[in-house]
Amino acid sequence: MSPPPFAPPPPPVPFPAGGLAVTAWNWERERGDMSTCSVSKGCFVFKPSPKKRRVSPKTADYFREGNNDSEDSGLRFATCQSLWKQIKSETEEKTTEWTCRMKSREIPTAALVLGVNVTDHDLTFKSLSEVLQNNITPYVALLQAKDCPGIKNLMQKLMGQLMNCYIDVDSSDEEDCVQVSQNRIRCSMASLISWYENITKKTDSETPSKKRTSSRHLQSPPVVVIFKDMESFTTKVLQDFLVISSQHIRELPLILIFGIATSPMIIHSLLPHSVSSLLCIELFQSLSCKEHLSTIIDKLLLTTQFAFKLSEKVLQVLINIFLYHDFSVQNFIKGFQLCIVEHFCSQPLSVLCCRLVEAKKRVNSLSHSQCENVRRLPSFRRYVESQVSEKQIALLTADNFLKEVIQKLLEDLHVYHENYVPVLRCLHVFTSSLPKYPLGKQIRELHCACLENRVWETEEYESSLQLARMLNKSDLVTMLQKCVEIFASSSGKEFDKVVEKLKEFLTQFQKLEVAGACQERGESVSSQKELQKKTDLYHLQKTLLELKESRRSKKLTKFEMLRFEVVDFIDNLVRNYLVPADHKTLHEIMYFNTASALREHLNAAPRIALHTALNNPYCYLKNRALKSDGGTISNKAPDICIVYKLHLECGRLINLVDWLEAFSTVVMAVEGPNAAASDQVDDIIHARFIRAVSELELLGFIKPSKQKTDHVARLTWGGC
């Protein structure tokens, strides 16, 4: 599910979900770079010249707006773009491989079960189509049930997409046709086969340089037909198409993909056995939304590949929107993209948010003002206060000395991230299987807990340790083996001794297992002999009670002592390496922590968004001509904004005539001593007013009044 190509927005119009998209016509003319002649609200498209397809040099200027420190804004913009390209590539990576086994006249079919609560169906199939076209075959068609009520419509859509041609339906003809170049081709399987044979012959005759680079490219590429919503197709359409296709499978190598939201059993419900037996079905189950989210978080945040990180509050905002609103991984990625843009735009020192080697080079070129920005960071202030007085003076006055310290602190921050991730994964191995999951079942929950505060000081952590001290031997050995794999594959240089210690624990458990088996055999033999001597019931009960009491009063076994030692060792790792990120110096460079800005853009607050957009359009449109004092109404504002602010001054009933006169007065107001006022409202202003009032009614602010025909009733009160 790939997000659209990254391009930071122009001076933003970031409406929150549920907000109002206000577009104006009259203030556009003030800018002088576009010309329109429209009335009321409008949205105009100005297509650039084909010769000017490159990115405008003003795009990076967005990073300077509202920021006094505009140094390196171009470099920050380039770093932001580079980071997003890497992240986009990481989220689009796919590793799925599948093959189908088929017999004579069987159609290879993939049943792709996506689930009911997946909101990214369209993006999933779009991405699947692109992958197939780039790696398997150029002949891919995506069909929807609403476009295929009959077999003729299905064939028409199929051939139209495969031939990439205009679909021409002549009502006077009995047959549907497609228009290819100057020819009309009848929509039938014979025509499709003829087209396929011709196109594959042309492909085979092309030069080798035009062949696909994929190693899996076939000499005769198959035709892939995707039924996006298989449950919605009528039974007759599916049956007819499958029966016809199976008869021509040798001439036309078809591969079918059924998009299924419910269960694979729907195939047998829709198709009789005589038809379903024509398919060689392979079942594919997509990841659930939560599993997909965990994969994305694992790739983007729990890695040292990207320097950019999210604070606990910001990450929690994105996760809450995902869990409680849309279940959309695509929207989560877009929110992550927004965090990147906001961080690199608002934080001048984000120029250092890159790979360690590059960051060290950029530190050497920091100007004096940028060094002052570093000195103003709260985390750096705490660091300075912890130093001796001589070093404090040097840090606050000598830029060269400061740059050396910054390089060392950035290296420490990089090492912190290298150590943090494997220890977090190791702790998750121990806590994810505990009863009631005190620290959460998903690693993202544990990650948020560790970012929020010292996790070892929480009650949930203490509860987890108590439960871990009661784990059985097999579970404990399995967890230790997983931890060895995690630390052995990590890039941290401090974990060689940790791996040795964990392997030592495993060796001791193995020795205990052998020794315990021998001891148990000896105890069982001696106890059996002793019990055999006691023939009467009284002595037998007495002996059993003595054995029970001895087991209660005896000291900890070697296994229990070793288990305590393992848990204490993991606890020590947690205390050393899972320090919250905001306790590290210069964390502001890497971590985006402005959760309020993210909520403003993403959290749905329709009433507040509407009032803000209509009462103060500058807040969203960022046009200086719209700036005005709190109590004034600018004639350069969009019509709906003028009408809205005028209606706030009215009572329960609003006289339309008075409202029109007030609107006309505001719109026709012209600055300057020679301004000539018109006594009559012309038709254009009247039309603009009617449209603005209609839009206000559509938004639910007013409604027609039954008491007076020339009045409307106001529906909202107070500030909004």
Side-chain angles (χ1 to χ4, degrees):
M1 285 173 278
S2 62
F6 164 69
V13 190
F15 288 90
L20 172 66
V22 180
T23 54
W25 67 274
N26 43 9
W27 61 268
E28 283 288 350
R29 293 178 294 185
E30 298 294 329
R31 297 168 55 183
D33 57 346
M34 299 179 185
S35 63
T36 60
C37 54
S38 175
V39 296
S40 188
K41 175 180 172 182
C43 183
F44 303 99
V45 179
F46 295 87
K47 294 185 178 180
S49 172
K51 298 180 180 179
K52 299 180 180 180
R53 287 292 181 183
R54 58 185 180 181
V55 179
S56 170
K58 296 182 180 179
T59 306
D61 295 344
Y62 170 59
F63 280 64
R64 286 200 294 265
E65 290 195 4
N67 196 335
N68 294 329
D69 192 336
S70 60
E71 294 186 62
D72 292 331
S73 61
L75 185 58
R76 281 189 283 126
F77 174 70
T79 307
C80 179
Q81 277 191 315
S82 174
L83 175 63
W84 175 246
K85 287 179 181 178
Q86 296 176 41
I87 289 176
K88 183 174 179 289
S89 174
E90 190 71 20
T91 56
E92 291 176 348
E93 183 180 348
K94 296 174 183 64
T95 57
T96 305
E97 293 184 4
W98 59 276
T99 57
C100 291
R101 303 176 300 275
M102 68 174 185
K103 301 176 183 178
S104 176
R105 290 199 174 184
E106 280 188 343
I107 307 173
T109 305
L112 179 58
V113 182
L114 294 177
V116 177
N117 290 327
V118 180
T119 57
D120 297 325
H121 276 199
D122 292 338
L123 290 169
T124 300
F125 284 109
K126 181 181 177 182
S127 178
L128 176 61
S129 299
E130 292 175 354
V131 171
L132 291 174
Q133 288 176 334
N134 294 332
N135 298 281
I136 304 297
T137 175
Y139 314 121
V140 179
L142 183 61
L143 303 179
Q144 288 184 270
K146 65 180 182 180
D147 300 326
C148 306
I151 186 64
K152 289 183 180 180
N153 305 94
L154 188 148
M155 291 301 300
Q156 184 187 51
K157 286 289 181 182
L158 175 61
M159 295 181 67
Q161 291 188 33
L162 292 177
M163 299 178 185
N164 193 21
C165 60
Y166 170 71
I167 300 174
D168 179 25
V169 181
D170 191 349
S171 59
S172 62
D173 295 340
E174 294 182 357
E175 301 292 341
D176 295 334
C177 299
V178 293
Q179 187 77 27
V180 181
S181 299
Q182 301 297 325
N183 303 321
R184 286 167 57 85
I185 299 179
R186 179 187 169 196
C187 294
S188 65
M189 188 60 71
S191 301
L192 184 59
I193 293 172
S194 176
W195 168 84
Y196 178 77
E197 290 175 350
N198 293 333
I199 200 71
T200 50
K201 285 179 183 178
K202 291 180 182 178
T203 305
D204 292 339
S205 63
E206 288 180 351
T207 58
S209 61
K210 291 186 180 181
K211 289 188 177 181
R212 293 181 177 269
T213 57
S214 173
S215 60
R216 290 179 288 176
H217 175 66
L218 305 175
Q219 290 183 351
S220 297
V223 175
V224 179
V225 182
I226 303 174
F227 292 85
K228 183 179 175 182
D229 46 351
M230 193 254 187
E231 293 100 329
S232 301
F233 279 84
T234 59
T235 303
K236 189 176 187 317
V237 171
L238 285 176
Q239 287 187 29
D240 292 346
F241 179 74
L242 295 177
V243 171
I244 295 172
S245 300
S246 66
Q247 295 172 356
H248 300 279
I249 191 64
R250 294 182 183 276
E251 297 88 1
L252 185 68
L254 276 177
I255 294 179
L256 306 180
I257 299 178
F258 290 157
I260 300 173
T262 53
S263 167
M265 295 304 296
I266 193 66
I267 297 176
H268 302 287
S269 300
L270 289 175
L271 304 175
H273 176 71
S274 59
V275 178
S276 62
S277 60
L278 301 175
L279 307 177
C280 179
I281 301 175
E282 191 84 11
L283 180 63
F284 296 89
Q285 179 75 50
S286 69
L287 289 174
S288 68
C289 295
K290 291 183 179 181
E291 290 174 340
H292 197 176
L293 176 67
S294 299
T295 304
I296 294 297
I297 290 177
D298 192 64
K299 285 185 174 184
L300 301 186
L301 296 178
L302 303 182
T303 177
T304 57
Q305 182 178 356
F306 306 117
F308 178 76
K309 305 291 180 184
L310 298 181
S311 68
E312 182 270 335
K313 291 182 178 179
V314 172
L315 179 58
Q316 202 62 58
V317 169
L318 292 178
I319 292 176
N320 288 342
I321 292 174
F322 175 87
L323 294 177
Y324 301 115
H325 288 82
D326 53 20
F327 278 105
S328 175
V329 177
Q330 171 70 8
N331 289 346
F332 180 88
I333 295 174
K334 297 299 288 182
F336 191 83
Q337 181 184 7
L338 177 62
C339 294
I340 294 175
V341 175
E342 285 286 340
H343 180 67
F344 280 89
C345 175
S346 61
Q347 175 56 268
L349 293 174
S350 60
V351 68
L352 302 178
C353 183
C354 55
R355 294 185 180 275
L356 181 61
V357 177
E358 181 65 23
K360 286 185 174 181
K361 294 179 182 178
R362 295 182 181 184
V363 167
N364 292 325
S365 60
L366 291 179
S367 63
H368 175 72
S369 62
Q370 289 171 317
C371 291
E372 289 298 320
N373 287 335
V374 174
R375 293 183 176 110
R376 284 192 287 266
L377 293 177
S379 63
F380 188 78
R381 289 181 181 179
R382 293 195 299 266
Y383 173 78
V384 172
E385 291 171 359
S386 65
Q387 305 301 313
V388 296
S389 58
E390 293 82 2
K391 192 172 182 180
Q392 287 181 355
I393 295 173
L395 288 171
L396 297 176
T397 57
D399 288 351
N400 291 332
F401 179 72
L402 175 65
K403 292 176 182 179
E404 294 177 2
V405 174
I406 292 174
Q407 290 179 337
K408 178 64 171 62
L409 293 175
L410 288 176
E411 187 173 351
D412 292 344
L413 197 58
H414 178 75
V415 172
Y416 162 76
H417 289 141
E418 282 188 336
N419 297 335
Y420 175 90
V421 175
V423 175
L424 180 74
R425 295 188 189 280
C426 180
L427 178 60
H428 180 250
V429 167
F430 275 82
T431 59
S432 60
S433 59
L434 296 177
K436 297 184 179 180
Y437 311 108
L439 287 173
K441 187 177 181 179
Q442 304 292 336
I443 194 170
R444 63 172 181 267
E445 300 172 270
L446 181 60
H447 179 51
C448 288
C450 294
L451 288 177
E452 186 177 9
N453 48 38
R454 293 183 176 91
V455 68
W456 58 87
E457 296 178 354
T458 62
E459 295 181 1
E460 293 81 5
Y461 182 80
E462 289 298 328
S463 175
S464 299
L465 287 186
Q466 293 177 6
L467 293 171
R469 292 189 178 103
M470 294 186 287
L471 290 170
N472 59 53
K473 189 189 303 181
S474 61
D475 290 344
L476 204 55
V477 169
T478 302
M479 292 175 181
L480 287 175
Q481 290 172 343
K482 291 181 180 179
C483 290
V484 169
E485 295 176 1
I486 291 171
F487 286 118
S489 61
S490 70
S491 58
K493 301 177 182 179
E494 304 178 13
F495 293 132
D496 293 339
K497 294 182 180 180
V498 174
V499 173
E500 292 178 4
K501 186 65 176 177
L502 293 177
K503 289 182 177 179
E504 182 183 333
F505 285 141
L506 289 172
T507 304
Q508 293 179 17
F509 277 120
Q510 291 176 353
K511 292 180 180 179
L512 281 177
E513 189 174 354
V514 175
C518 297
Q519 185 177 357
E520 285 178 2
R521 282 197 217 100
E523 289 180 354
S524 62
V525 170
S526 61
S527 62
Q528 286 176 5
K529 289 181 179 179
E530 188 172 352
L531 290 174
Q532 286 173 358
K533 296 178 183 178
K534 312 294 182 181
T535 54
D536 59 294
L537 182 61
Y538 171 75
H539 287 92
L540 184 62
Q541 289 179 339
K542 184 179 179 181
T543 304
L544 290 173
L545 288 172
E546 289 175 356
L547 288 172
K548 187 176 180 180
E549 289 296 327
S550 64
R551 287 173 181 170
R552 283 182 179 177
S553 59
K554 69 179 180 180
K555 298 180 180 179
L556 294 173
T557 63
K558 291 183 178 180
F559 164 71
E560 292 170 337
M561 294 174 63
L562 184 58
R563 181 172 58 187
F564 272 65
E565 189 176 349
V566 169
V567 174
D568 291 341
F569 180 76
I570 299 298
D571 178 42
N572 188 48
L573 288 176
V574 171
R575 294 173 184 269
N576 288 336
Y577 295 109
L578 295 188
V579 179
D582 56 8
H583 288 55
K584 307 299 292 185
T585 308
L586 301 185
H587 72 273
E588 296 93 342
I589 294 175
M590 308 294 182
Y591 284 80
F592 175 68
N593 55 11
T594 315
S596 58
L598 194 63
R599 289 193 192 98
E600 181 181 347
H601 288 296
L602 300 181
N603 274 7
R607 178 60 65 86
I608 297 174
L610 280 173
H611 176 70
T612 304
L614 297 174
N615 194 50
N616 182 21
Y618 173 78
C619 179
Y620 290 126
L621 299 180
K622 302 299 182 185
N623 185 277
R624 297 187 182 279
L626 299 178
K627 273 192 173 183
S628 61
D629 298 332
T632 61
I633 303 177
S634 172
N635 67 325
K636 297 182 177 64
D639 293 343
I640 190 174
C641 299
I642 298 174
V643 170
Y644 177 79
K645 295 189 75 172
L646 290 172
H647 113 286
L648 292 179
E649 301 174 1
C650 300
R652 186 175 64 86
L653 291 177
I654 306 175
N655 189 314
L656 287 172
V657 177
D658 296 340
W659 201 3
L660 173 59
E661 290 293 337
F663 175 77
S664 175
T665 302
V666 174
V667 170
M668 298 182 66
V670 180
E671 297 180 359
N674 298 325
S678 175
D679 296 332
Q680 185 178 4
V681 179
D682 61 18
D683 294 339
I684 293 180
I685 294 180
H686 194 179
R688 288 168 54 186
F689 173 76
I690 292 174
R691 179 162 184 169
V693 170
S694 300
E695 291 169 347
L696 211 60
E697 180 182 355
L698 182 64
L699 293 173
F701 289 99
I702 58 174
K703 70 174 183 178
S705 174
K706 295 181 180 180
Q707 299 178 9
K708 298 181 180 180
T709 56
D710 59 344
H711 284 63
V712 292
R714 183 177 173 185
L715 299 178
T716 58
W717 301 98
C720 58

